[in-house]
Every structure is written in C-alpha cells, then in structure tokens.
Amino acid sequence: MRFEELRIAGAALVHIEPRTDARGFFARTFCAHEFAAHGLPAAAVQASVSYNIRAGTVRGMHFQWPPSQEGKLVRCLRGRLFDVLIDLRPDSVSYLQHQAVDLDQDNRTAVFIPAGIAHGFQTLADETEVLYQMTDFYLPELQCGYRWNDPQFGISWPLPATVISDRDAACADFDRAAHESEYRQRHAAAVPAPR
C-alpha cells in the first residue's frame, strides 16, 4: 500500500498496489503494521456498506462528538463518488478546512478520515456502493451533522442533489461559537481527572 497525506491533519489516501497476472490482480487493502507505521489506527471494530441507487445522492456531513474516537476508512466498491472531509477539531492546524477526493471502482483508493472530521459524499454514478471500516463503535447519542451545502464551508458539489435523507436535509448550519463550546465541554468530560 502507498499512503498519501491530505491537507486535513491526520487524513490520508490509501492506494493499493495490485499484483497482476492472467487471472486479474491481488492487493492488500489493510495491514495493521503498515497503518501503525504511518500513524493511523491499526484496528477496525465495525464495518458498514452504503448502497446508493442514483447519481447525485448526498450523504453527510456526519461526525461523532467526543469521546468518540471513530475514524473511518472509506472505499468505493462500485461506481464513483465525490468524498468530502471537513476538519471540526478546534485544536487542529487544519480546523474548518475541507478537502474533497474522488473515489471510484477503478482507482480502488480509500480515504482514512480521523475522529472529529465531518464526512459526506455525493455519488457520481448510479448504483454506487461504499464500504466503511470504523475504528470505534457507533454511538447514536454522539452522532451529529451539519448541512451538506452550508455556504460557510464553501464545498463545490459537482452535481445537483437528487436524493438526500430528511435527517441530512434538516441538519443545522455550522455555528462556530456553539460548536467550539460543545466540543470543549464534551472533550473535557471525556478526559479522566488527574489522580
């Protein structure tokens, strides 16, 4: 595998290195030793798949509040998608920056998304299927999201949104002061008191 750092602190593209022969190819998509050597979590505790019928489908922008340590390794198994990361960690050097990457069935690249990053995507082809591997267990009480097309983030989505869930469409716009206050309260509550 080949790892390519992204502009978002702690995020990376993970490129496979296929070995080809007359049958096709074989490639590793995950190795705990290699991930650890690149400073990425070396274990996944859950995996999910997202199947999207129509091009233009939007999912996001989702994240988990502290104390969640839910990072994600996201890979497009079929179709194409425009995958977006927004750094929502107030102490990060890339706070409030966003970055988009193209993932598709041909490049077979994955993106690692650290905890504290909002994630979403838009499908660029019908019948797009996406695999997620998560580094922490999903906790519904820590789930949150911001509006996918909030102008404060300035994301240039490639297509009009054709399908979006009611929940995602109803996400709030980003309020920096409220976000930072909530983040710091939850982060402080998650840190054990000194003995």
Side-chain angles (χ1 to χ4, degrees):
M1 287 175 288
R2 184 170 56 82
F3 296 80
E4 177 186 344
E5 289 184 12
L6 295 178
R7 204 170 52 244
I8 303 297
L13 288 177
V14 182
H15 302 277
I16 63 169
E17 296 181 310
R19 295 181 183 206
T20 60
D21 61 24
R23 299 167 294 177
F25 76 84
F26 179 87
R28 277 186 300 158
T29 61
F30 180 83
C31 173
H33 293 299
E34 289 186 49
F35 270 62
H38 287 87
L40 302 177
V45 299
Q46 286 185 333
S48 300
V49 66
S50 165
Y51 174 73
N52 306 274
I53 296 169
R54 292 179 56 197
T57 298
V58 172
R59 293 183 187 251
M61 299 297 298
H62 307 143
F63 69 98
Q64 294 263 308
W65 289 111
S68 174
Q69 290 299 307
E70 184 191 68
K72 300 174 186 172
L73 183 66
V74 177
R75 180 180 314 277
C76 183
L77 300 176
R78 179 169 56 166
R80 289 181 55 221
L81 60 105
F82 177 82
D83 201 84
V84 181
L85 296 70
I86 304 172
D87 192 343
L88 295 179
R89 304 166 296 180
D91 299 326
S92 171
V93 296
S94 54
Y95 181 47
L96 297 183
Q97 293 181 32
H98 76 271
Q99 186 164 5
V101 296
D102 290 323
L103 303 178
D104 64 47
Q105 66 186 26
D106 297 323
N107 68 27
R108 295 183 171 87
T109 297
V111 61
F112 177 76
I113 303 158
I117 304 294
H119 171 251
F121 63 78
Q122 183 176 55
T123 60
L124 302 179
D126 291 346
E127 299 185 346
T128 293
E129 193 167 346
V130 185
L131 175 68
Y132 302 73
Q133 292 172 264
M134 280 75 76
T135 63
D136 199 358
F137 296 100
Y138 172 76
L139 295 171
E141 64 271 20
L142 299 180
Q143 170 65 39
C144 195
Y146 292 120
R147 187 163 60 93
W148 66 281
N149 59 352
D150 184 338
Q152 293 181 82
F153 297 129
I155 300 165
S156 296
W157 297 92
L159 300 175
T162 56
V163 181
I164 187 166
S165 72
D166 291 342
R167 184 187 76 159
D168 285 354
C171 281
D173 283 344
F174 180 75
D175 178 318
R176 183 172 183 161
H179 175 82
E180 290 176 5
S181 175
E182 182 79 10
Y183 182 91
R184 293 191 196 292
Q185 287 175 17
R186 288 177 178 263
H187 193 268
V191 176
R195 295 181 183 204

